C-alpha cells in the first residue's frame, strides 16, 4: 500500500497490484460504471451539475441500492457505503488489503481515491484516479487544496488531449503527468511512454489510472519537466499541461511553476526542440505575459527553438485583475480571512506591476522538428469556437506548411486543388442588391475559420474540384471578367496561398 506522504496526505492504493486493479476494473464495468452508464443513471441535468461541483442532484439520483448507484456514491460522491452492499459489487477484501477502500465505522467502507469514468476517443472505457475532493467537478470541488494533492481531469487536460497529434510513434514523453490522462492517451499509439512529475504522488496516481484503465504501464520518473530525461533520449511526441500559472511564488505544485513570470513555459518550449526526433511534435498548453511596450506575438514567437516549425494559438486573454481573481478562487482564498485574501491579491498585482504586465494570454503551442532551412512560425489569436478533437487538423496544418514551402508561385499555379469538405460559401449584402457586398468562406469543422474573399477568390474556390490546374482556372476566370490573364496570374497566388494555409483549399492528390 502507498504510504503517507511528507505533506501528511492520506495513503494511496498499491500501484504494483495490477491484479487487483484488473479485478476492480472488471467489477466497475460489470456494473456499467462508465461515462455512458453515469449519464443514463443520473440524467443530463444531474450529470451536468456534477461537472459544476454540485452534488445534490446526483445524491438524489442515487438513493437506491443498485450496484451502479452504490459505486457512484462511493467513488464519485465520496459517501460511505454499507460493507455488505459493496461486497455484492466489488472484491472488498482485496480492495481493503491494497488500499482502494478503507473501513468507516464498524459496518461501512469508503473510497480512498476519486475514480471517474472517462470515455476514450475510440469508445474505450477508461478511469481517471485523483485525490478525494480533487476531481474537477468532484464531490469536494476545487479549492483549499493541500500542497501535493493530485487533481483529476479538467478543461485544460481534455483540451491538450484533443489537440494532440495521434499517429503511431516509437517514443512519447508526458511532462507533468498529474493524474495520468496524457500518458493514458499516449500509450494507445506509442510503443514506449515516459512520464515525469515533480510530485511522486502524481506518478503513483498515474500508475493507478493506467492500471485501472487496462492500459500498458509507462516509464514513470520523478523530477521537474525534462530533468529526469537522459541527454541521449529523444522522442517522436512530447506533451505537457505544465504548471503554467504566473503567480508570486510556488505555493501549489499542480499549478504554480516556481519560476518568475512566464519563464517556465518559455524554458519548456525552448528545451523541447533538442528532445524531438525529425518530424516529431511537441504540444503544450501555456500562459504568457502581455508586457507594456512589447508585442505578445513577438514575445511568444521568440520562444520557438531553432530547427522547429511552430503553430501558436492564443485562445483567451485576461487582464491582471481577472487573472489574479481566477487563481485566488482556485485556491479557495476567497473563502478565508478577508485581510489575508487582500494581502495575497496585492502580492499578485505587485508582481505584475513590477514586470509591467498588463494581461495574460492562454493558448496552445505546437512545435514540429523540421530539416527546412527556413522554419515556419505562425502566431495567431483565435478565441472562437473550434471542434475537438483537433489532432488531425494540427497535423494537416503542418502538412500544408510543407506543401507551401516546397511550391513557389509558379508551382502553385501548376497545382490542382479541391475545396475542403464542410466549407460553405456565404454571400453577404443588402436584400435585393444585385451583387453581394462581400463573399465569405466558412469552415464547419476543425478550427471553424471564416475568411473574406473577392470575386476572383470566390469563383476560384467554387470550381476547385481537383480536375483543372490553378492556372487554367484563373485563365478561364480572366476571360469571364474581361481581365488580363497575365495580371491575374501575377496577383492571385498570394490569395491561393492563404486559402491553402488556412485549410480552405487542399492540394489534390
Amino acid at each position: 500500500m502507498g504510504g503517507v506522504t511528507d505533506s501528511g496526505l492520506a495513503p494511496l492504493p498499491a500501484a504494483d497490484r495490477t491484479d487487483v486493479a484488473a479485478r476492480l476494473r472488471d467489477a466497475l464495468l460489470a456494473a456499467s460504471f462508465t461515462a455512458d452508464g453515469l449519464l443514463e443513471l443520473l440524467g443530463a441535468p444531474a450529470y451536468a451539475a456534477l461537472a459544476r461541483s454540485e452534488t445534490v442532484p446526483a445524491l438524489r439520483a442515487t438513493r437506491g441500492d443498485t450496484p451502479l448507484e452504490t459505486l457512484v456514491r462511493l467513488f464519485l460522491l465520496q459517501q460511505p457505503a454499507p460493507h455488505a452492499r459493496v461486497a455484492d459489487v466489488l472484491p472488498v477484501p482485496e480492495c481493503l488489503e491494497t488500499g482502494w477502500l478503507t473501513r468507516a465505522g464498524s459496518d461501512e467502507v469508503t473510497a480512498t481515491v476519486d475514480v471517474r469514468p472517462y470515455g476514450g476517443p475510440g469508445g474505450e472505457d477508461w478511469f481517471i484516479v485523483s485525490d478525494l475532493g480533487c476531481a474537477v467537478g468532484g464531490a469536494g470541488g476545487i479549492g483549499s487544496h493541500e500542497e501535493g494533492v493530485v487533481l483529476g481531469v479538467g478543461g485544460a487536460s481534455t483540451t491538450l488531449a484533443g489537440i494532440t497529434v495521434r499517429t503511431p510513434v516509437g517514443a512519447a514523453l508526458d511532462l507533468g503527468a498529474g493524474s495520468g490522462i496524457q500518458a493514458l492517451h499516449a500509450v494507445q499509439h506509442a510503443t514506449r511512454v515516459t512520464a515525469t512529475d515533480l510530485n511522486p504522488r502524481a506518478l503513483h496516481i498515474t500508475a493507478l489510472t493506467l492500471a485501472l484503465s487496462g492500459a500498458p504501464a509507462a516509464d514513470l520518473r520523478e523530477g521537474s519537466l525534462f530533468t529526469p530525461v537522459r541527454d541521449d533520449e529523444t522522442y517522436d511526441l512530447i506533451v505537457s499541461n505544465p504548471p503554467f500559472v504566473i503567480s508570486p511564488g510556488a505555493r501549489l505544485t499542480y499549478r504554480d511553476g516556481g519560476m518568475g513570470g512566464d519563464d517556465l513555459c518559455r524554458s519548456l518550449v525552448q528545451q523541447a526542440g533538442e528532445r524531438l526526433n525529425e518530424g516529431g511534435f511537441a504540444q503544450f498548453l501555456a500562459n504568457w505575459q502581455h508586457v507594456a511596450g512589447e508585442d505578445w506575438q513577438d514575445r511568444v514567437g521568440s520562444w520557438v527553438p531553432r530547427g522547429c516549425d511552430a503553430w501558436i494559438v492564443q485562445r483567451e486573454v485576461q487582464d491582471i485583475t481577472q487573472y489574479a481573481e481566477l487563481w485566488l478562487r482556485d485556491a479557495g482564498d476567497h473563502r478565508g480571512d478577508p485581510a489575508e485574501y487582500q494581502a495575497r491579491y496585492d502580492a499578485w498585482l505587485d508582481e505584475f506591476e513590477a514586470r509591467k504586465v498588463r494581461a495574460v494570454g492562454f493558448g496552445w503551442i505546437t512545435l514540429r522538428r523540421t530539416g527546412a532551412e527556413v522554419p515556419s512560425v505562425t502566431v495567431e489569436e483565435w478565441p472562437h469556437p473550434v471542434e475537438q478533437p483537433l489532432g488531425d487538423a494540427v497535423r494537416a496544418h503542418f502538412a500544408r506548411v510543407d506543401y507551401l514551402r516546397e511550391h513557389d508561385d509558379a508551382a502553385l499555379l501548376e497545382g490542382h486543388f479541391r475545396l475542403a469538405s464542410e466549407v460553405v460559401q456565404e454571400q453577404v449584402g443588402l436584400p435585393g442588391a444585385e451583387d453581394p457586398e462581400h463573399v465569405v468562406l466558412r469552415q464547419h469543422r476543425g478550427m471553424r475559420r471564416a475568411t473574406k474573399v473577392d470575386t476572383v477568390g470566390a469563383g476560384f474556390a467554387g470550381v476547385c474540384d481537383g480536375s483543372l490546374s490553378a492556372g487554367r482556372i484563373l485563365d478561364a476566370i480572366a476571360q469571364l471578367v474581361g481581365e488580363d490573364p497575365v495580371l491575374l496570374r501575377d496577383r492571385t497566388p498570394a490569395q491561393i496561398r492563404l486559402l491553402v494555409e488556412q485549410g480552405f483549399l487542399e492540394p489534390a492528390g
Side-chain angles (χ1 to χ4, degrees), residues 160 162-166 281-283 311 313 364-368 388-401 446-447:
L160 178 59
I163 68 171
T164 300
V165 175
R166 302 293 175 195
F281 287 92
Q283 299 186 261
W311 185 20
V313 182
W364 321 323
I365 297 177
T366 299
L367 307 177
R368 184 189 59 165
Q388 286 276 35
L390 276 169
D392 287 345
V394 172
R395 183 176 54 179
H397 167 87
F398 287 95
R400 295 193 298 269
V401 165
M447 292 293 288

PDB file of all heavy atoms in Angstrom, residues 160 162-166 281-283 311 313 364-368 388-401 446-447:
ATOM      1  N   LEU A 160      -5.760  19.665 -24.183  1.00  0.00           N
ATOM      2  CA  LEU A 160      -4.473  19.164 -24.662  1.00  0.00           C
ATOM      3  C   LEU A 160      -4.631  17.791 -25.296  1.00  0.00           C
ATOM      4  O   LEU A 160      -4.058  17.521 -26.365  1.00  0.00           O
ATOM      5  CB  LEU A 160      -3.466  19.108 -23.515  1.00  0.00           C
ATOM      6  CG  LEU A 160      -2.079  18.556 -23.871  1.00  0.00           C
ATOM      7  CD1 LEU A 160      -1.429  19.398 -24.966  1.00  0.00           C
ATOM      8  CD2 LEU A 160      -1.184  18.497 -22.637  1.00  0.00           C
ATOM      9  N   GLY A 162      -7.164  16.665 -26.798  1.00  0.00           N
ATOM     10  CA  GLY A 162      -7.863  16.815 -28.059  1.00  0.00           C
ATOM     11  C   GLY A 162      -7.010  17.365 -29.182  1.00  0.00           C
ATOM     12  O   GLY A 162      -7.202  17.002 -30.346  1.00  0.00           O
ATOM     13  N   ILE A 163      -6.060  18.253 -28.864  1.00  0.00           N
ATOM     14  CA  ILE A 163      -5.248  18.855 -29.927  1.00  0.00           C
ATOM     15  C   ILE A 163      -4.024  18.015 -30.273  1.00  0.00           C
ATOM     16  O   ILE A 163      -3.345  18.286 -31.262  1.00  0.00           O
ATOM     17  CB  ILE A 163      -4.793  20.288 -29.566  1.00  0.00           C
ATOM     18  CG1 ILE A 163      -3.796  20.275 -28.406  1.00  0.00           C
ATOM     19  CG2 ILE A 163      -5.975  21.177 -29.276  1.00  0.00           C
ATOM     20  CD1 ILE A 163      -3.152  21.632 -28.136  1.00  0.00           C
ATOM     21  N   THR A 164      -3.727  16.997 -29.474  1.00  0.00           N
ATOM     22  CA  THR A 164      -2.519  16.205 -29.689  1.00  0.00           C
ATOM     23  C   THR A 164      -2.626  15.363 -30.956  1.00  0.00           C
ATOM     24  O   THR A 164      -3.650  14.725 -31.213  1.00  0.00           O
ATOM     25  CB  THR A 164      -2.250  15.292 -28.484  1.00  0.00           C
ATOM     26  OG1 THR A 164      -2.075  16.096 -27.318  1.00  0.00           O
ATOM     27  CG2 THR A 164      -0.993  14.462 -28.695  1.00  0.00           C
ATOM     28  N   VAL A 165      -1.556  15.354 -31.733  1.00  0.00           N
ATOM     29  CA  VAL A 165      -1.489  14.559 -32.957  1.00  0.00           C
ATOM     30  C   VAL A 165      -1.401  13.081 -32.573  1.00  0.00           C
ATOM     31  O   VAL A 165      -0.492  12.683 -31.834  1.00  0.00           O
ATOM     32  CB  VAL A 165      -0.270  14.973 -33.809  1.00  0.00           C
ATOM     33  CG1 VAL A 165      -0.125  14.061 -35.022  1.00  0.00           C
ATOM     34  CG2 VAL A 165      -0.408  16.430 -34.243  1.00  0.00           C
ATOM     35  N   ARG A 166      -2.333  12.280 -33.080  1.00  0.00           N
ATOM     36  CA  ARG A 166      -2.403  10.855 -32.708  1.00  0.00           C
ATOM     37  C   ARG A 166      -1.998   9.985 -33.892  1.00  0.00           C
ATOM     38  O   ARG A 166      -2.837   9.542 -34.673  1.00  0.00           O
ATOM     39  CB  ARG A 166      -3.819  10.500 -32.252  1.00  0.00           C
ATOM     40  CG  ARG A 166      -4.331  11.301 -31.078  1.00  0.00           C
ATOM     41  CD  ARG A 166      -3.583  10.993 -29.811  1.00  0.00           C
ATOM     42  NE  ARG A 166      -4.017  11.857 -28.709  1.00  0.00           N
ATOM     43  CZ  ARG A 166      -3.351  11.999 -27.578  1.00  0.00           C
ATOM     44  NH1 ARG A 166      -2.210  11.329 -27.393  1.00  0.00           N
ATOM     45  NH2 ARG A 166      -3.787  12.787 -26.627  1.00  0.00           N
ATOM     46  N   PHE A 281       6.521  15.903 -32.907  1.00  0.00           N
ATOM     47  CA  PHE A 281       5.705  17.014 -32.422  1.00  0.00           C
ATOM     48  C   PHE A 281       5.906  17.205 -30.921  1.00  0.00           C
ATOM     49  O   PHE A 281       6.032  16.225 -30.165  1.00  0.00           O
ATOM     50  CB  PHE A 281       4.221  16.756 -32.667  1.00  0.00           C
ATOM     51  CG  PHE A 281       3.803  16.880 -34.110  1.00  0.00           C
ATOM     52  CD1 PHE A 281       3.792  15.772 -34.939  1.00  0.00           C
ATOM     53  CD2 PHE A 281       3.423  18.104 -34.631  1.00  0.00           C
ATOM     54  CE1 PHE A 281       3.404  15.873 -36.265  1.00  0.00           C
ATOM     55  CE2 PHE A 281       3.030  18.227 -35.957  1.00  0.00           C
ATOM     56  CZ  PHE A 281       3.023  17.113 -36.780  1.00  0.00           C
ATOM     57  N   ALA A 282       5.893  18.463 -30.481  1.00  0.00           N
ATOM     58  CA  ALA A 282       5.819  18.811 -29.062  1.00  0.00           C
ATOM     59  C   ALA A 282       4.622  19.735 -28.899  1.00  0.00           C
ATOM     60  O   ALA A 282       4.515  20.747 -29.603  1.00  0.00           O
ATOM     61  CB  ALA A 282       7.097  19.492 -28.595  1.00  0.00           C
ATOM     62  N   GLN A 283       3.723  19.401 -27.991  1.00  0.00           N
ATOM     63  CA  GLN A 283       2.486  20.158 -27.844  1.00  0.00           C
ATOM     64  C   GLN A 283       2.250  20.511 -26.380  1.00  0.00           C
ATOM     65  O   GLN A 283       2.281  19.641 -25.503  1.00  0.00           O
ATOM     66  CB  GLN A 283       1.313  19.353 -28.414  1.00  0.00           C
ATOM     67  CG  GLN A 283       1.513  19.064 -29.910  1.00  0.00           C
ATOM     68  CD  GLN A 283       0.318  18.399 -30.553  1.00  0.00           C
ATOM     69  OE1 GLN A 283       0.299  17.186 -30.722  1.00  0.00           O
ATOM     70  NE2 GLN A 283      -0.682  19.185 -30.923  1.00  0.00           N
ATOM     71  N   TRP A 311       3.246  26.409 -34.472  1.00  0.00           N
ATOM     72  CA  TRP A 311       1.895  26.976 -34.610  1.00  0.00           C
ATOM     73  C   TRP A 311       1.428  27.317 -33.200  1.00  0.00           C
ATOM     74  O   TRP A 311       1.231  26.427 -32.373  1.00  0.00           O
ATOM     75  CB  TRP A 311       0.961  25.982 -35.278  1.00  0.00           C
ATOM     76  CG  TRP A 311      -0.409  26.523 -35.553  1.00  0.00           C
ATOM     77  CD1 TRP A 311      -0.786  27.838 -35.641  1.00  0.00           C
ATOM     78  CD2 TRP A 311      -1.601  25.754 -35.793  1.00  0.00           C
ATOM     79  NE1 TRP A 311      -2.127  27.946 -35.925  1.00  0.00           N
ATOM     80  CE2 TRP A 311      -2.654  26.677 -36.030  1.00  0.00           C
ATOM     81  CE3 TRP A 311      -1.878  24.394 -35.850  1.00  0.00           C
ATOM     82  CZ2 TRP A 311      -3.957  26.277 -36.297  1.00  0.00           C
ATOM     83  CZ3 TRP A 311      -3.178  23.986 -36.114  1.00  0.00           C
ATOM     84  CH2 TRP A 311      -4.204  24.904 -36.333  1.00  0.00           C
ATOM     85  N   VAL A 313      -1.373  29.377 -30.882  1.00  0.00           N
ATOM     86  CA  VAL A 313      -2.728  29.916 -30.948  1.00  0.00           C
ATOM     87  C   VAL A 313      -3.105  30.474 -29.582  1.00  0.00           C
ATOM     88  O   VAL A 313      -3.135  29.736 -28.591  1.00  0.00           O
ATOM     89  CB  VAL A 313      -3.749  28.830 -31.365  1.00  0.00           C
ATOM     90  CG1 VAL A 313      -5.146  29.441 -31.474  1.00  0.00           C
ATOM     91  CG2 VAL A 313      -3.347  28.182 -32.680  1.00  0.00           C
ATOM     92  N   TRP A 364      -2.332  27.400 -27.001  1.00  0.00           N
ATOM     93  CA  TRP A 364      -1.666  26.158 -27.384  1.00  0.00           C
ATOM     94  C   TRP A 364      -0.381  26.487 -28.120  1.00  0.00           C
ATOM     95  O   TRP A 364      -0.327  27.414 -28.915  1.00  0.00           O
ATOM     96  CB  TRP A 364      -2.529  25.328 -28.321  1.00  0.00           C
ATOM     97  CG  TRP A 364      -3.994  25.290 -28.041  1.00  0.00           C
ATOM     98  CD1 TRP A 364      -4.598  25.274 -26.822  1.00  0.00           C
ATOM     99  CD2 TRP A 364      -5.052  25.251 -29.009  1.00  0.00           C
ATOM    100  NE1 TRP A 364      -5.953  25.212 -26.963  1.00  0.00           N
ATOM    101  CE2 TRP A 364      -6.273  25.207 -28.299  1.00  0.00           C
ATOM    102  CE3 TRP A 364      -5.084  25.230 -30.395  1.00  0.00           C
ATOM    103  CZ2 TRP A 364      -7.508  25.156 -28.926  1.00  0.00           C
ATOM    104  CZ3 TRP A 364      -6.311  25.187 -31.040  1.00  0.00           C
ATOM    105  CH2 TRP A 364      -7.506  25.148 -30.316  1.00  0.00           C
ATOM    106  N   ILE A 365       0.622  25.693 -27.885  1.00  0.00           N
ATOM    107  CA  ILE A 365       1.875  25.795 -28.629  1.00  0.00           C
ATOM    108  C   ILE A 365       2.202  24.413 -29.190  1.00  0.00           C
ATOM    109  O   ILE A 365       2.279  23.439 -28.440  1.00  0.00           O
ATOM    110  CB  ILE A 365       3.030  26.281 -27.733  1.00  0.00           C
ATOM    111  CG1 ILE A 365       2.738  27.692 -27.208  1.00  0.00           C
ATOM    112  CG2 ILE A 365       4.358  26.256 -28.494  1.00  0.00           C
ATOM    113  CD1 ILE A 365       3.803  28.222 -26.251  1.00  0.00           C
ATOM    114  N   THR A 366       2.365  24.345 -30.512  1.00  0.00           N
ATOM    115  CA  THR A 366       2.769  23.095 -31.166  1.00  0.00           C
ATOM    116  C   THR A 366       4.063  23.338 -31.919  1.00  0.00           C
ATOM    117  O   THR A 366       4.155  24.269 -32.723  1.00  0.00           O
ATOM    118  CB  THR A 366       1.697  22.585 -32.140  1.00  0.00           C
ATOM    119  OG1 THR A 366       0.488  22.330 -31.434  1.00  0.00           O
ATOM    120  CG2 THR A 366       2.158  21.296 -32.821  1.00  0.00           C
ATOM    121  N   LEU A 367       5.058  22.506 -31.649  1.00  0.00           N
ATOM    122  CA  LEU A 367       6.322  22.522 -32.378  1.00  0.00           C
ATOM    123  C   LEU A 367       6.414  21.257 -33.221  1.00  0.00           C
ATOM    124  O   LEU A 367       5.896  20.216 -32.834  1.00  0.00           O
ATOM    125  CB  LEU A 367       7.518  22.542 -31.419  1.00  0.00           C
ATOM    126  CG  LEU A 367       7.570  23.609 -30.338  1.00  0.00           C
ATOM    127  CD1 LEU A 367       8.795  23.392 -29.458  1.00  0.00           C
ATOM    128  CD2 LEU A 367       7.590  25.004 -30.940  1.00  0.00           C
ATOM    129  N   ARG A 368       7.103  21.382 -34.360  1.00  0.00           N
ATOM    130  CA  ARG A 368       7.425  20.182 -35.144  1.00  0.00           C
ATOM    131  C   ARG A 368       8.870  20.305 -35.614  1.00  0.00           C
ATOM    132  O   ARG A 368       9.263  21.320 -36.205  1.00  0.00           O
ATOM    133  CB  ARG A 368       6.514  20.030 -36.354  1.00  0.00           C
ATOM    134  CG  ARG A 368       6.800  18.722 -37.105  1.00  0.00           C
ATOM    135  CD  ARG A 368       6.080  18.651 -38.423  1.00  0.00           C
ATOM    136  NE  ARG A 368       6.442  19.762 -39.301  1.00  0.00           N
ATOM    137  CZ  ARG A 368       6.182  19.790 -40.608  1.00  0.00           C
ATOM    138  NH1 ARG A 368       5.546  18.784 -41.176  1.00  0.00           N
ATOM    139  NH2 ARG A 368       6.532  20.823 -41.339  1.00  0.00           N
ATOM    140  N   GLN A 388     -13.345  19.972 -31.346  1.00  0.00           N
ATOM    141  CA  GLN A 388     -12.402  18.955 -30.885  1.00  0.00           C
ATOM    142  C   GLN A 388     -12.916  17.560 -31.243  1.00  0.00           C
ATOM    143  O   GLN A 388     -14.131  17.361 -31.345  1.00  0.00           O
ATOM    144  CB  GLN A 388     -12.241  19.068 -29.366  1.00  0.00           C
ATOM    145  CG  GLN A 388     -11.425  20.268 -28.904  1.00  0.00           C
ATOM    146  CD  GLN A 388      -9.923  19.969 -28.935  1.00  0.00           C
ATOM    147  OE1 GLN A 388      -9.414  19.248 -29.790  1.00  0.00           O
ATOM    148  NE2 GLN A 388      -9.201  20.548 -27.988  1.00  0.00           N
ATOM    149  N   PRO A 389     -12.029  16.578 -31.459  1.00  0.00           N
ATOM    150  CA  PRO A 389     -10.568  16.683 -31.351  1.00  0.00           C
ATOM    151  C   PRO A 389      -9.951  17.352 -32.580  1.00  0.00           C
ATOM    152  O   PRO A 389     -10.483  17.240 -33.688  1.00  0.00           O
ATOM    153  CB  PRO A 389     -10.115  15.225 -31.229  1.00  0.00           C
ATOM    154  CG  PRO A 389     -11.179  14.451 -31.958  1.00  0.00           C
ATOM    155  CD  PRO A 389     -12.468  15.176 -31.707  1.00  0.00           C
ATOM    156  N   LEU A 390      -8.819  18.033 -32.355  1.00  0.00           N
ATOM    157  CA  LEU A 390      -8.160  18.800 -33.397  1.00  0.00           C
ATOM    158  C   LEU A 390      -6.822  18.204 -33.826  1.00  0.00           C
ATOM    159  O   LEU A 390      -6.087  18.832 -34.585  1.00  0.00           O
ATOM    160  CB  LEU A 390      -7.920  20.240 -32.917  1.00  0.00           C
ATOM    161  CG  LEU A 390      -9.094  21.212 -33.073  1.00  0.00           C
ATOM    162  CD1 LEU A 390      -8.808  22.499 -32.312  1.00  0.00           C
ATOM    163  CD2 LEU A 390      -9.365  21.518 -34.535  1.00  0.00           C
ATOM    164  N   GLY A 391      -6.500  17.020 -33.329  1.00  0.00           N
ATOM    165  CA  GLY A 391      -5.203  16.433 -33.652  1.00  0.00           C
ATOM    166  C   GLY A 391      -4.976  16.299 -35.153  1.00  0.00           C
ATOM    167  O   GLY A 391      -3.896  16.634 -35.661  1.00  0.00           O
ATOM    168  N   ASP A 392      -5.994  15.848 -35.882  1.00  0.00           N
ATOM    169  CA  ASP A 392      -5.846  15.707 -37.331  1.00  0.00           C
ATOM    170  C   ASP A 392      -5.694  17.075 -37.996  1.00  0.00           C
ATOM    171  O   ASP A 392      -4.960  17.222 -38.981  1.00  0.00           O
ATOM    172  CB  ASP A 392      -7.045  14.973 -37.927  1.00  0.00           C
ATOM    173  CG  ASP A 392      -7.038  13.487 -37.609  1.00  0.00           C
ATOM    174  OD1 ASP A 392      -5.979  12.973 -37.184  1.00  0.00           O
ATOM    175  OD2 ASP A 392      -8.094  12.838 -37.759  1.00  0.00           O
ATOM    176  N   ALA A 393      -6.396  18.093 -37.471  1.00  0.00           N
ATOM    177  CA  ALA A 393      -6.283  19.439 -38.033  1.00  0.00           C
ATOM    178  C   ALA A 393      -4.884  20.008 -37.791  1.00  0.00           C
ATOM    179  O   ALA A 393      -4.338  20.713 -38.649  1.00  0.00           O
ATOM    180  CB  ALA A 393      -7.337  20.351 -37.407  1.00  0.00           C
ATOM    181  N   VAL A 394      -4.294  19.702 -36.638  1.00  0.00           N
ATOM    182  CA  VAL A 394      -2.932  20.158 -36.360  1.00  0.00           C
ATOM    183  C   VAL A 394      -1.947  19.502 -37.325  1.00  0.00           C
ATOM    184  O   VAL A 394      -1.087  20.170 -37.912  1.00  0.00           O
ATOM    185  CB  VAL A 394      -2.551  19.854 -34.895  1.00  0.00           C
ATOM    186  CG1 VAL A 394      -1.069  20.137 -34.646  1.00  0.00           C
ATOM    187  CG2 VAL A 394      -3.420  20.673 -33.943  1.00  0.00           C
ATOM    188  N   ARG A 395      -2.076  18.217 -37.503  1.00  0.00           N
ATOM    189  CA  ARG A 395      -1.190  17.510 -38.425  1.00  0.00           C
ATOM    190  C   ARG A 395      -1.352  18.042 -39.849  1.00  0.00           C
ATOM    191  O   ARG A 395      -0.371  18.244 -40.576  1.00  0.00           O
ATOM    192  CB  ARG A 395      -1.490  16.012 -38.380  1.00  0.00           C
ATOM    193  CG  ARG A 395      -0.564  15.175 -39.258  1.00  0.00           C
ATOM    194  CD  ARG A 395      -0.856  13.696 -39.101  1.00  0.00           C
ATOM    195  NE  ARG A 395      -2.255  13.379 -39.348  1.00  0.00           N
ATOM    196  CZ  ARG A 395      -2.765  12.163 -39.292  1.00  0.00           C
ATOM    197  NH1 ARG A 395      -1.989  11.143 -38.959  1.00  0.00           N
ATOM    198  NH2 ARG A 395      -4.032  11.944 -39.532  1.00  0.00           N
ATOM    199  N   ALA A 396      -2.602  18.306 -40.256  1.00  0.00           N
ATOM    200  CA  ALA A 396      -2.861  18.828 -41.599  1.00  0.00           C
ATOM    201  C   ALA A 396      -2.269  20.218 -41.777  1.00  0.00           C
ATOM    202  O   ALA A 396      -1.800  20.572 -42.870  1.00  0.00           O
ATOM    203  CB  ALA A 396      -4.365  18.857 -41.868  1.00  0.00           C
ATOM    204  N   HIS A 397      -2.286  21.031 -40.714  1.00  0.00           N
ATOM    205  CA  HIS A 397      -1.684  22.367 -40.790  1.00  0.00           C
ATOM    206  C   HIS A 397      -0.215  22.277 -41.193  1.00  0.00           C
ATOM    207  O   HIS A 397       0.240  23.000 -42.091  1.00  0.00           O
ATOM    208  CB  HIS A 397      -1.807  23.073 -39.439  1.00  0.00           C
ATOM    209  CG  HIS A 397      -0.965  24.309 -39.319  1.00  0.00           C
ATOM    210  ND1 HIS A 397      -1.401  25.552 -39.719  1.00  0.00           N
ATOM    211  CD2 HIS A 397       0.308  24.492 -38.861  1.00  0.00           C
ATOM    212  CE1 HIS A 397      -0.446  26.437 -39.523  1.00  0.00           C
ATOM    213  NE2 HIS A 397       0.598  25.826 -38.989  1.00  0.00           N
ATOM    214  N   PHE A 398       0.519  21.385 -40.562  1.00  0.00           N
ATOM    215  CA  PHE A 398       1.948  21.283 -40.855  1.00  0.00           C
ATOM    216  C   PHE A 398       2.194  20.623 -42.212  1.00  0.00           C
ATOM    217  O   PHE A 398       3.200  20.914 -42.868  1.00  0.00           O
ATOM    218  CB  PHE A 398       2.664  20.548 -39.727  1.00  0.00           C
ATOM    219  CG  PHE A 398       2.786  21.386 -38.483  1.00  0.00           C
ATOM    220  CD1 PHE A 398       1.856  21.281 -37.461  1.00  0.00           C
ATOM    221  CD2 PHE A 398       3.809  22.307 -38.353  1.00  0.00           C
ATOM    222  CE1 PHE A 398       1.955  22.061 -36.313  1.00  0.00           C
ATOM    223  CE2 PHE A 398       3.917  23.085 -37.220  1.00  0.00           C
ATOM    224  CZ  PHE A 398       2.990  22.977 -36.193  1.00  0.00           C
ATOM    225  N   ALA A 399       1.290  19.761 -42.650  1.00  0.00           N
ATOM    226  CA  ALA A 399       1.409  19.203 -43.999  1.00  0.00           C
ATOM    227  C   ALA A 399       1.246  20.315 -45.033  1.00  0.00           C
ATOM    228  O   ALA A 399       1.954  20.346 -46.060  1.00  0.00           O
ATOM    229  CB  ALA A 399       0.360  18.113 -44.211  1.00  0.00           C
ATOM    230  N   ARG A 400       0.326  21.240 -44.769  1.00  0.00           N
ATOM    231  CA  ARG A 400       0.151  22.372 -45.689  1.00  0.00           C
ATOM    232  C   ARG A 400       1.364  23.299 -45.654  1.00  0.00           C
ATOM    233  O   ARG A 400       1.754  23.872 -46.683  1.00  0.00           O
ATOM    234  CB  ARG A 400      -1.123  23.141 -45.342  1.00  0.00           C
ATOM    235  CG  ARG A 400      -2.402  22.328 -45.551  1.00  0.00           C
ATOM    236  CD  ARG A 400      -3.634  23.212 -45.492  1.00  0.00           C
ATOM    237  NE  ARG A 400      -3.798  23.871 -44.200  1.00  0.00           N
ATOM    238  CZ  ARG A 400      -4.481  23.364 -43.188  1.00  0.00           C
ATOM    239  NH1 ARG A 400      -5.052  22.156 -43.307  1.00  0.00           N
ATOM    240  NH2 ARG A 400      -4.606  24.028 -42.049  1.00  0.00           N
ATOM    241  N   VAL A 401       1.952  23.473 -44.473  1.00  0.00           N
ATOM    242  CA  VAL A 401       3.183  24.264 -44.363  1.00  0.00           C
ATOM    243  C   VAL A 401       4.262  23.684 -45.276  1.00  0.00           C
ATOM    244  O   VAL A 401       4.949  24.411 -46.004  1.00  0.00           O
ATOM    245  CB  VAL A 401       3.667  24.310 -42.895  1.00  0.00           C
ATOM    246  CG1 VAL A 401       5.111  24.803 -42.799  1.00  0.00           C
ATOM    247  CG2 VAL A 401       2.746  25.203 -42.066  1.00  0.00           C
ATOM    248  N   GLY A 446     -13.152  21.416 -37.599  1.00  0.00           N
ATOM    249  CA  GLY A 446     -11.815  21.815 -37.172  1.00  0.00           C
ATOM    250  C   GLY A 446     -11.774  23.193 -36.531  1.00  0.00           C
ATOM    251  O   GLY A 446     -12.492  23.475 -35.577  1.00  0.00           O
ATOM    252  N   MET A 447     -10.939  24.077 -37.057  1.00  0.00           N
ATOM    253  CA  MET A 447     -10.783  25.419 -36.491  1.00  0.00           C
ATOM    254  C   MET A 447     -11.980  26.315 -36.755  1.00  0.00           C
ATOM    255  O   MET A 447     -12.122  27.368 -36.152  1.00  0.00           O
ATOM    256  CB  MET A 447      -9.522  26.070 -37.064  1.00  0.00           C
ATOM    257  CG  MET A 447      -8.235  25.434 -36.615  1.00  0.00           C
ATOM    258  SD  MET A 447      -7.903  25.643 -34.840  1.00  0.00           S
ATOM    259  CE  MET A 447      -7.483  27.387 -34.757  1.00  0.00           C
TER     260      MET A 447
END
